[in-house]
Amino acid sequence: MIFLDESLYINKGTNRVCYVHPNDKTKCLKIDLKDSKETKRELKYYKKLIKKNIPFDSLSKYYGEVQTNLGKAEVFELIRDNDETISMEVDKYLNNSNNIEEIENLLKLVPLLKKYIFKNKIFVKDLNTVNIMYQQNGEKSRLVIIDGLSHSNYNPFFYICDYFINKKINKSWNGFINSLKKREIIKENSFLSNYLI
């Protein structure tokens, strides 16, 4: 059993609380605050992607479950920058930075995230700036999806028909892009929207 305390606390969302893994700083432990259908769907989808050998280049890796003193926990990759600090959510980064060059560096990664999602046909039900981390690591910087990965459609036909998959992915992606375009810093510097495709 793994023992957790407040010194390992990272943050708390609507459904889960997150802690640093005490034995491995590259991993985190997510514990449900209540029985959650969303978590079950997410884990089912993760396992489907693992079975299909989908690369986790822009998706936090899933390592299975463990028992802790606070209950069952799911083990995920903990996204850190090259200085080993925990990476910042895109939402928080955009809210805290007024440096146009830094924001442009982040937005340059958006087309790469799009390519990854569409190439691997990954559907993110809740694709937003809170569920994506900006990992700053020089030329290896990347955007990483850490949450919101699930789908409620259990019809196997959905997963084998490109038309339906792409339709869902397009809708999710367009919602994400539109939310970015509404940011004041991007509206005030219109050239930044060139990366939002």
Side-chain angles (χ1 to χ4, degrees):
M1 178 179 287
I2 295 175
F3 287 88
L4 303 174
D5 58 40
E6 287 305 307
S7 68
L8 301 168
Y9 173 85
I10 300 176
N11 60 32
K12 183 167 71 172
T14 304
N15 298 314
R16 294 186 287 193
V17 60
C18 187
Y19 294 87
V20 176
H21 195 305
N23 305 324
D24 188 343
K25 65 182 181 181
T26 68
K27 296 175 183 176
C28 64
L29 302 174
K30 296 183 180 181
I31 301 174
D32 280 346
L33 296 170
K34 56 185 178 181
D35 188 45
S36 171
K37 289 182 179 179
E38 290 298 319
T39 297
K40 292 176 181 176
R41 288 170 182 166
E42 179 185 64
L43 296 178
K44 183 175 182 179
Y45 196 36
Y46 256 102
K47 290 170 184 176
K48 186 181 292 289
L49 295 178
I50 292 170
K51 189 175 181 180
K52 291 173 67 178
N53 292 316
I54 296 296
F56 279 68
D57 301 342
S58 294
L59 191 62
S60 61
K61 296 182 180 73
Y62 173 62
Y63 298 101
E65 65 178 53
V66 295
Q67 289 297 324
T68 78
N69 57 311
L70 302 178
K72 185 180 73 172
E74 306 298 337
V75 186
F76 286 89
E77 176 185 9
L78 180 56
I79 311 303
R80 292 182 180 271
D81 292 343
N82 53 7
D83 62 1
E84 297 194 350
T85 59
I86 296 175
S87 299
M88 196 176 291
E89 298 166 357
V90 169
D91 184 70
K92 190 175 293 185
Y93 190 88
L94 292 176
N95 286 338
N96 293 344
S97 178
N98 291 314
N99 186 308
I100 302 302
E101 184 178 352
E102 290 179 354
I103 292 175
E104 184 178 14
N105 287 336
L106 183 159
L107 296 179
K108 284 178 179 178
L109 299 173
V110 171
L112 296 178
L113 180 64
K114 179 180 182 180
K115 181 179 179 180
Y116 170 80
I117 288 175
F118 279 82
K119 179 180 178 180
N120 295 293
K121 297 180 174 60
I122 295 173
F123 175 68
V124 186
K125 181 180 179 183
D126 194 11
L127 187 63
N128 60 56
T129 53
V130 174
N131 290 337
I132 301 173
M133 305 291 275
Y134 176 33
Q135 184 181 46
Q136 299 183 70
N137 190 17
E139 293 182 358
K140 295 182 179 180
S141 295
R142 60 177 181 152
L143 298 179
V144 186
I145 301 164
I146 60 164
D147 209 350
L149 187 74
S150 64
H151 196 269
S152 58
N153 193 329
Y154 292 108
N155 186 342
F157 186 68
F158 171 84
Y159 296 103
I160 62 174
C161 180
D162 285 352
Y163 172 78
F164 289 112
I165 295 174
N166 289 331
K167 187 176 180 180
K168 285 286 187 181
I169 294 174
N170 261 311
K171 183 177 180 180
S172 176
W173 182 259
N174 289 337
F176 170 61
I177 292 299
N178 288 335
S179 71
L180 285 174
K181 288 180 177 179
K182 291 177 182 177
R183 296 269 180 168
E184 287 301 319
I185 191 76
I186 294 175
K187 289 196 290 185
E188 291 169 1
N189 299 273
S190 58
F191 76 95
L192 293 174
S193 63
N194 292 333
Y195 302 106
L196 305 179
I197 56 175

